Amino acid sequence: VQLVESGGGLVQPGKSLKLSCSASGFTFSSYGMHWIRQAPGKGLDWVAYISSSSGTVYADAVKGRFTISRDNAKNTLYLQLNSLKSEDTAIYYCARKFFDYWGQGVMVTVSS
Amino acid sequence: DVVLTQTPPTLSATIGQSVSISCRSSQSLLHSNGNTYLHWLLQRPGQSPQLLIYSVSRLESGVPNRFSGSGSGTDFTLKISGVEAEDLGVYYCVQGTHAPWTFGGGTKLELK
């Protein structure tokens, strides 16, 4: 099982970014997936979840700004980040449904 | 949202010492299906989190049996029976019984 995030970087406040998580080694379409973030020096902060049937749940802090989605044909999970704020600066991890597999994380920095 | 309170925030231990970490929930984590979705993770410095214990007391594959989990309802405990150097890092509890998922604030295990 391998999860590899990409798409991070430096972005200005109010702008957008799209993260990807490429999955391999398991039947991606059968599993729900999470995005979790970790601000510098802080704890883990759950962001969003998408079920195997594409039902979604969001943390209040990102609801209306972030969108989680998946492409089962490409074995890829996405997180669209809109209206970014400085407090969204963090390492973003994707993880499988029961947190048994995690990616290496991708850094998102929101700064002018 | 469910609030998970971990204590202590920092734990100093010697090699071979047994230690316990508490995770208390603001509401019962017993799901209507009879399962309790309370899991324990370890994040070593500079690494992604890894799953240690799932569903309160089930040891994840490949995790040493010096780790054990117990509890029910709102009170849960992770015990390490004989700390080893590789156990140092930050421990998190996470609940998946009630959406949205939530993490505890973390417990940092240090060498005394």
Side-chain angles (χ1 to χ4, degrees):
Chain A
V1 173
Q2 193 171 14
L3 299 171
V4 179
E5 300 95 338
S6 60
L10 173 63
V11 60
Q12 294 178 329
K15 299 297 187 180
S16 299
L17 204 60
K18 189 171 186 176
L19 307 182
S20 300
C21 169
S22 178
S24 60
F26 67 103
T27 305
F28 178 71
S29 59
S30 297
Y31 287 83
M33 298 291 295
H34 300 273
W35 285 101
I36 301 108
R37 65 185 179 182
Q38 186 170 35
K42 302 297 184 182
L44 299 173
D45 182 31
W46 180 83
V47 173
Y49 173 78
I50 186 166
S51 70
S52 57
S53 56
S54 295
T56 58
V57 185
Y58 295 92
D60 287 345
V62 308
K63 202 174 295 182
R65 299 190 299 124
F66 291 7
T67 302
I68 188 172
S69 62
R70 64 191 301 157
D71 185 336
N72 290 335
K74 294 183 178 181
N75 289 339
T76 302
L77 173 73
Y78 301 102
L79 186 67
Q80 177 69 45
L81 294 72
N82 296 334
S83 303
L84 281 162
K85 307 175 182 180
S86 58
E87 52 263 43
D88 296 319
T89 294
I91 297 171
Y92 285 74
Y93 297 99
C94 60
R96 211 166 68 165
K97 181 178 181 181
F98 290 110
F99 304 103
D100 52 347
Y101 290 96
W102 293 65
Q104 83 287 354
V106 62
M107 186 69 204
V108 173
T109 303
V110 184
S111 175
S112 54
Chain B
D1 297 0
V2 173
V3 176
L4 297 180
T5 302
Q6 283 185 239
T7 55
T10 304
L11 195 50
S12 295
T14 57
I15 300 301
Q17 182 180 352
S18 292
V19 299
S20 292
I21 299 169
S22 170
C23 177
R24 290 189 170 175
S25 175
S26 60
Q27 57 186 280
S28 175
L29 298 184
L30 177 62
H31 194 278
S32 57
N33 65 11
N35 293 323
T36 299
Y37 297 103
L38 186 284
H39 320 304
W40 290 95
L41 309 169
L42 165 61
Q43 186 175 32
R44 297 186 176 96
Q47 296 187 17
S48 301
Q50 69 166 104
L51 181 66
L52 298 175
I53 301 282
Y54 63 97
S55 299
V56 180
S57 59
R58 300 180 181 185
L59 196 65
E60 173 68 355
S61 176
V63 174
N65 60 13
R66 63 179 177 274
F67 292 94
S68 61
S70 63
S72 63
T74 60
D75 289 347
F76 303 91
T77 301
L78 175 71
K79 182 177 181 180
I80 310 173
S81 300
V83 169
E84 298 192 6
E86 65 181 19
D87 301 338
L88 303 183
V90 182
Y91 290 81
Y92 295 95
C93 55
V94 56
Q95 70 83 25
T97 295
H98 305 286
W101 285 256
T102 47
F103 288 90
T107 295
K108 186 174 184 179
L109 178 60
E110 302 175 326
L111 270 182
K112 190 180 293 183

